[in-house]
Amino acid sequence: MTTLYREFALKSPAVWPLFVAFVKANAAALADRGECLRLIVTNDEKKRNALQNRHYWAGVIKPLSEQAWINGQQFAPDIWHEFMARKHGVWEDMTLPGGVIVVLRQSTTEMSVGEFSSYTTKVMADAATEYGVEFSL
């Protein structure tokens, strides 16, 4: 049995059809198996704050760019940020005109306090494990 998990941020009316389609596609099948589709409704957390952002850039990305070497090469902070954001960031579906759905990386500026905290922890663990980066407390 696979676990079914999907989040929808209902920020605009364009997301409603995706949400409704997901429920229609899964609720009946789960009910047939004696399971239910659990829906949790909540408001968004507050967006990440300035203190988190300063810590991320000065305390995480800067040491990563100064200490990590790959094939004899170092990379700028902006490159490490993009690399880590693609690797550990939040991905969202976007429906383009005509109905084509594409998956885009959410900007870290749009992350909630909790999402950004989790993201930063993943980046630090990856940097320490994969690239030997040491972070100062």
Side-chain angles (χ1 to χ4, degrees), residues 2-134:
T2 61
T3 301
L4 181 65
Y5 181 81
R6 180 79 189 266
E7 289 187 30
F8 293 88
L10 302 177
K11 295 179 182 179
S12 73
V15 180
W16 277 103
L18 297 172
F19 172 74
V20 171
F22 179 82
V23 171
K24 284 181 179 178
N26 292 285
L30 289 170
D32 290 343
R33 295 193 322 237
E35 298 176 45
C36 71
L37 180 64
R38 180 182 310 271
L39 302 174
I40 299 171
V41 179
T42 185
N43 62 328
D44 275 345
E45 290 184 67
K46 293 184 182 198
K47 288 187 181 176
R48 74 172 193 189
N49 57 49
L51 181 61
Q52 283 182 301
N53 192 50
R54 281 194 302 275
H55 165 70
Y56 173 71
W57 283 98
V60 179
I61 294 298
K62 185 177 182 213
L64 176 56
S65 69
E66 291 172 345
Q67 297 176 39
W69 290 81
I70 298 176
N71 298 325
Q73 185 177 3
Q74 287 187 296
F75 296 92
D78 287 341
I79 293 172
W80 277 113
H81 166 67
E82 184 62 29
F83 177 78
M84 290 297 186
R86 288 175 183 254
K87 189 172 182 182
H88 299 293
V90 176
W91 293 85
E92 298 177 323
D93 291 346
M94 175 186 285
T95 303
L96 301 176
V100 175
I101 299 173
V102 295
V103 181
L104 298 175
R105 178 182 67 78
Q106 178 190 43
S107 170
T108 58
T109 62
E110 297 298 316
M111 290 181 180
S112 68
V113 169
E115 287 173 330
F116 196 69
S117 177
S118 176
Y119 165 74
T120 301
T121 300
K122 290 175 187 174
V123 171
M124 290 177 76
D126 189 13
T129 303
E130 295 298 320
Y131 307 105
V133 176
E134 294 181 6

